[in-house]
Amino acid sequence: MTMRNEAAGLTLTGPLVGTRGIVLTQAWAGSYCTALLGMLGADIIQVEVRKRPDSWRGDYAAPITGRIRDVPTAVHPWNVSALYNSVNLNKRCITLDLGTPEGIEVYRRLVPHADFVAENFSPRVMGNFGLDYEALKALKPDIILASLSAYGHEGSWANIPGIGGTIEPTSGQSALLGYEDGPPMNSGQMYPDAVAAFNAFGAIIAALRHRDRTGEGQYIDLSMQEANLAMIGDSALEYVLTGRQRPRLGNRHTTFAPHGIYAAAGTERWVALAAETEAQWAALCAVAGRAWAEDTRFATNADRKANEDALDAEIGAWTASEDRDALAARLSAVGIFAAPVLDALELAEDARLRARGVVRVVAHAEAGEWPQVTIPLHFSRTPATEVRPAPLQGEHTRQVLAEILGMSDAEVDKLERLGVSGMGPPD
Amino acid sequence: MARVLEGVRVIDISTSPGGAWCSRMLADYGADVVLVEAPGGHPLRRIGPFADDGTSIPASYLLANKRSATLDLDAAEARRRVVALCRRADIVVSSHAPSRLAAWGLEYASLGNPALVMVHVTPHGMTGDLSEVPGNDLTNAARSGWASINGAQEREPLKPSGWQSSMCGGTVAYAGAVAAIRWRDAHPGEGQEVDVAEVEVMAAAFAPAFLRSVYAGSSHARRDSADLMAGPVPVQDGHFALTLSRAHFWRDAMNLLGLPDLAEDPRWGASFYRQAHKDEYVDRVTAAMSTWKKMDLFDELAVRRVVAGPVMTMEELRGVEHLRERGFWRAPRDAPDGPEYPGPALRMMGTPATLDRRPPRPGEHTAEVLGMTTEGA
């Protein structure tokens, strides 16, 4: 399914073409949820407040660093933020100061043109704007509103603020992440936000189906704590059933060995490998050419699990002189779980992700042309193929307000004069 | 109560945690999910930890809310029955590589049901030179970039805990399945395949670190040990994360910790400045935190509306009143006196997820499911 919006110069593809979200999302969880919907063809109009810009655009005064500094068009730090640009593909961005009556009025006029609204403010904010679910429903009876917050909109912790880096500990995730002999850790990049985004993405699609069939909208209340606890629900159920807290396992598996990441030849070259079946173990012994198969410590999976430290030491001694990629390929070819540990720049060049269209070069008006991770779903009948760069702050205000509300340039000029709209730091 | 997927029939022939989570979500939102298990039982049933009665806990979590039919896909007669089930189904969930489906004659085209939505949840996707290569959460962590940033720089890279790539892959596959069903509602007879690769879902979740590295020209590294800004640090009775992003979080937290000079110096209000000058304050802040108990510090910072994270265990989470108020823990409707399961990831107020069925015993519903195929054949 493809839909062309000539006036906006925009092509929408994918199963959600024909739907529209006018959203107040920010940072990672909310923004990425709505970007995913946009990548499936929904028309996503992101509303941003210049006085309190999206925190992932960074500070207005932040220095431009790295390779971006050498791009001549990269002049506004808030438009060339890697964090913002990574999770806001396939959106249009308008600016409206929701702290002003004029800004709220324009937003209220937009709502009837939306199928869904999503937001990830602290729970009190939408009410303060006069934009809670009941208010939105009065404007559009079948509206879908998804709220993503730290602890949800109901319950005694509802007003406690949180972000990915604090939800990771309070959801039980951090207690499970870490080396077998080490302290609890957080992930390298606030993983709980991604979990919230994926779940809210599915929920909004489900709510759209329900709306289409019944004419009923609904409210979706996502607590990042709950979403992340659900993702380790087997560990939660383990505690319920046995009273035991699962220990940190490093790279190990609850049941199988070997299961680890081992140093290969060179600096920061690592290979992941695991064997779950006896056939995989036999194949691993054959590839390694070591006498492990005859070693009684490693005779069965139970033996290998019981002697896992010794097993890991043996494997590590072997891999240390092996080429990472060649070894991973040899192991994969004989049916063993194996992979090179790729870092971000290697991922950017990964031929497989490029061949499947997941990593693509995206041209951004200020940041230039760089590889980005795009759409992680492949539909055979309704392919979602169109990728647009993250919007500049306020890039589409004039276009969207004209297209949806029929506002004239003079009317938008007035909003800009009042400081309700515009681009960049407020005066 | 309204259900999003009322009347939607799902046949789950997958054997992976990602496939199991996808169909668990479909079941939670009202679909009738039949799990096709080999005679030895779903592979999850052999994965620990195990409850006292010997049942696999991961299997209990991931297979709940479904019916189970024992059918051996390697046997022609059983396979014929599975094909018949798939012909009547709205959604089939598979985790198998293309060659495996071809060997069974269970590829989409062979099923002869153009209205069918077939969802593939596999490690690497259904096309490309990795489509036949085995993968799991460990390899997905390695190939998606996540392992390269998790853990400590002085040690080996670290995969996310448990089955995060399976769970995220299953969640995204659920979203794709519902999008395809919604499409079919509006375009009768138009089924399709949805191909979700767990490694790609995790690469998508890695997008911020990815683009930061691309713009910077150097890959994001793992953290140095005990980096305050990167994760939990020791406090009196455990660990605590203080990831101060906004200026007022910093100011109010430093005042609470008795570090007014850090609180009042305006330079520290900007996060990019704090990141660049970590060495000037990390030791002092960590020392000040170490005398606190984690829930006391959480309570005091909550009053000040500062984001803060005590590292909580499952025992502590079971005790959190807030989660009980929200009805997060619930026993299956057909086993109300049985153990409580952790709840859905979110609350859809108009069409809530429900847990209607305890996990099935292997093949518990074979007869009734096959009765259904006979009737339909």
Side-chain angles (χ1 to χ4, degrees):
Chain A
M1 176 67 183
T2 298
M3 184 185 280
R4 178 81 190 152
N5 177 338
E6 288 298 341
L10 132 104
T11 304
L12 300 164
T13 60
L16 299 183
V17 164
T19 65
R20 177 185 282 148
I22 301 183
V23 304
L24 301 164
T25 46
Q26 53 178 332
W28 186 1
S31 290
Y32 190 53
C33 159
T34 52
L36 285 163
L37 294 162
M39 288 192 276
L40 262 51
D43 179 17
I44 302 296
I45 296 164
Q46 171 86 44
V47 179
E48 193 173 336
V49 181
R50 287 162 67 208
K51 276 186 194 144
R52 194 183 155 97
D54 190 318
S55 62
W56 272 35
R57 285 198 186 274
D59 195 290
Y60 278 123
I64 296 173
T65 59
R67 293 196 281 197
I68 293 293
R69 196 175 41 206
D70 304 323
V71 177
T73 48
V75 288
H76 302 114
W78 58 92
N79 286 330
V80 297
S81 159
L83 295 182
Y84 181 87
N85 289 351
S86 68
V87 296
N88 286 285
L89 296 173
N90 290 31
K91 296 182 181 184
R92 298 193 272 177
C93 176
I94 70 173
T95 51
L96 283 178
D97 187 346
L98 298 176
T100 64
E102 295 86 353
I104 288 287
E105 176 55 25
V106 174
Y107 188 77
R108 290 171 58 88
R109 286 170 59 197
L110 287 170
V111 169
H113 301 274
D115 298 289
F116 57 90
V117 172
E119 59 91 15
N120 56 320
F121 292 117
S122 299
R124 288 187 288 216
V125 174
M126 288 296 273
N128 292 344
F129 286 148
L131 296 175
D132 60 14
Y133 176 61
E134 291 304 322
L136 294 177
K137 200 176 164 186
L139 296 167
K140 177 92 192 304
D142 64 354
I143 196 78
I144 294 159
L145 171 62
S147 292
L148 291 74
S149 62
Y151 298 102
H153 276 235
E154 285 179 2
S156 46
W157 283 14
N159 284 311
I160 297 179
I163 59 173
T166 61
I167 295 303
E168 205 158 355
T170 62
S171 66
Q173 288 263 8
S174 301
L176 295 172
L177 180 63
Y179 300 102
E180 309 90 284
D181 52 352
M185 299 182 100
N186 274 11
S187 59
Q189 171 94 43
M190 300 213 191
Y191 170 69
D193 279 83
V195 167
F198 289 141
N199 278 287
F201 164 59
I204 289 172
I205 296 170
L208 284 167
R209 177 180 204 238
H210 185 67
R211 193 270 325 254
D212 292 347
R213 284 159 50 88
T214 64
E216 294 167 7
Q218 65 178 302
Y219 181 55
I220 298 164
D221 176 20
L222 180 142
S223 150
M224 282 179 63
Q225 182 191 37
E226 290 174 355
N228 279 278
L229 184 45
M231 299 307 250
I232 49 173
D234 57 313
S235 293
L237 187 59
E238 180 179 358
Y239 178 78
V240 172
L241 291 171
T242 69
R244 289 191 297 267
Q245 166 74 27
R246 188 171 304 175
R248 286 181 283 285
L249 294 172
N251 291 313
R252 291 179 175 177
H253 191 280
T254 54
T255 304
F256 302 113
H259 196 277
I261 293 178
Y262 307 89
T267 304
E268 268 297 291
R269 304 282 284 179
W270 305 92
V271 63
L273 70 88
E276 292 190 0
T277 63
E278 291 306 317
Q280 286 177 319
W281 169 246
L284 177 61
C285 294
V287 172
R290 307 260 166 152
W292 298 334
E294 290 81 51
D295 193 324
T296 54
R297 294 174 301 168
F298 309 140
T300 66
N301 181 66
D303 295 321
R304 294 191 288 277
K305 197 69 195 154
N307 296 294
E308 198 164 6
D309 287 344
L311 178 61
D312 280 346
E314 292 274 348
I315 294 172
W318 164 56
T319 59
S321 57
E322 296 285 331
D323 177 74
R324 180 193 73 175
D325 294 350
L327 178 59
R330 276 161 63 209
L331 293 170
S332 292
V334 293
I336 299 166
F337 295 116
V341 174
L342 302 179
D343 68 23
L345 293 185
E346 289 178 312
L347 213 60
E349 301 305 323
D350 187 73
R352 286 145 177 157
L353 290 172
R354 291 207 179 208
R356 298 229 329 144
V358 174
V359 169
R360 302 188 207 179
V361 173
V362 177
H364 183 275
E366 285 201 22
E369 294 189 8
W370 301 100
Q372 290 199 230
V373 188
T374 68
I375 307 167
L377 299 97
H378 309 265
F379 293 88
S380 61
R381 186 186 290 275
T382 59
T385 55
E386 188 73 9
V387 171
R388 285 171 282 133
L392 311 177
Q393 190 190 50
E395 178 179 351
H396 304 99
T397 306
R398 207 166 279 273
Q399 176 195 94
V400 165
L401 296 184
E403 175 187 319
I404 297 180
L405 300 181
M407 285 176 75
S408 65
D409 276 343
E411 288 173 285
V412 181
D413 289 343
K414 187 179 166 201
L415 290 176
E416 290 190 0
R417 272 201 311 280
L418 290 169
V420 170
S421 190
M423 297 169 97
D427 302 327
Chain B
M1 189 57 78
R3 320 292 308 272
V4 173
L5 299 174
E6 186 73 53
V8 171
R9 290 167 299 192
V10 179
I11 302 298
D12 180 3
I13 61 167
S14 75
T15 51
S16 70
W21 185 242
C22 172
S23 68
R24 169 75 199 277
M25 289 188 74
L26 293 166
D28 287 0
Y29 288 101
D32 172 24
V33 177
V34 172
L35 177 68
V36 172
E37 297 196 66
H42 193 289
L44 277 167
R45 296 190 186 273
R46 295 186 287 281
I47 291 186
F50 299 93
D52 293 342
D53 66 359
T55 57
S56 157
I57 293 169
S60 292
Y61 184 57
L62 295 169
L63 305 184
N65 234 1
K66 308 172 194 178
R67 296 191 291 161
S68 165
T70 297
L71 287 164
D72 185 357
L73 286 169
D74 290 327
E77 174 56 21
R79 208 155 54 228
R80 196 187 60 75
R81 291 175 182 272
V82 172
V83 169
L85 286 169
C86 293
R87 288 215 172 112
R88 287 173 45 90
D90 299 291
I91 300 174
V92 169
V93 179
S94 170
S95 62
H96 302 287
S99 64
R100 169 52 53 194
L101 289 177
W104 281 332
L106 288 173
E107 314 105 299
Y108 185 71
S110 305
L111 292 173
N113 176 3
L116 180 69
V117 171
M118 187 166 186
V119 188
H120 303 276
V121 196
T122 61
H124 306 123
M126 297 300 283
T127 61
D129 63 353
L130 288 182
S131 60
E132 298 289 334
V133 167
N136 63 6
D137 277 87
L138 178 70
T139 62
N140 290 335
R143 289 190 197 277
S144 67
W146 273 98
S148 75
I149 62 168
N150 278 350
Q153 193 59 42
E154 61 272 21
R155 289 195 59 170
E156 70 273 22
L158 199 56
K159 73 182 273 289
S161 80
W163 282 317
Q164 298 308 309
S165 74
S166 297
M167 301 298 282
C168 286
T171 302
V172 169
Y174 161 79
V178 179
I181 285 291
R182 177 178 173 270
W183 176 269
R184 199 188 66 170
D185 294 339
H187 304 84
E190 294 195 2
Q192 60 181 312
E193 288 182 276
V194 183
D195 174 6
V196 172
E198 291 159 356
V199 70
E200 292 171 358
V201 170
M202 288 310 274
F206 185 71
F210 176 104
L211 196 58
R212 204 147 60 132
S213 301
V214 165
Y215 279 11
S218 62
S219 284
H220 193 82
R222 294 189 296 287
R223 68 170 183 163
D224 298 327
S225 49
D227 178 346
L228 172 69
M229 305 308 277
V233 297
V235 292
Q236 198 187 106
D237 59 347
H239 290 81
F240 197 98
L242 199 58
T243 53
L244 303 159
S245 49
R246 293 188 181 270
H248 87 85
F249 294 162
W250 170 267
R251 189 187 61 235
D252 293 346
M254 293 308 112
N255 276 324
L256 177 67
L257 291 169
L259 301 167
D261 59 312
L262 289 176
E264 301 310 328
D265 185 334
R267 288 177 306 164
W268 298 111
S271 60
F272 68 86
Y273 186 87
R274 289 200 302 273
Q275 281 293 339
H277 297 84
K278 279 187 226 180
D279 293 349
E280 297 174 35
Y281 62 81
V282 164
D283 290 349
R284 290 181 63 202
V285 175
T286 318
M289 288 171 68
S290 68
T291 62
W292 282 80
K293 287 191 169 167
K294 63 186 179 185
M295 295 315 286
D296 292 345
L297 186 54
F298 186 52
D299 289 344
E300 288 294 330
L301 289 167
V303 169
R304 291 162 176 79
R305 303 197 50 71
V306 174
V307 300
V311 174
M312 299 183 74
T313 62
M314 290 302 171
E315 180 180 14
E316 289 163 339
L317 284 162
R318 281 285 281 170
V320 169
E321 194 55 34
H322 172 72
L323 289 168
R324 296 199 173 277
E325 290 162 7
R326 290 173 57 83
F328 182 73
W329 305 99
R330 73 259 155 94
R333 197 170 289 172
D334 67 352
D337 302 324
E340 288 184 327
Y341 283 61
L346 49 78
R347 304 201 303 175
M348 295 184 72
M349 305 310 269
T351 56
T354 58
L355 184 58
D356 298 324
R357 294 174 177 274
R358 60 166 172 73
R361 290 185 291 276
E364 182 176 348
H365 307 94
T366 307
E368 69 182 52
V369 166
L370 293 184
M372 183 174 90
T373 53
T374 312
E375 173 195 317

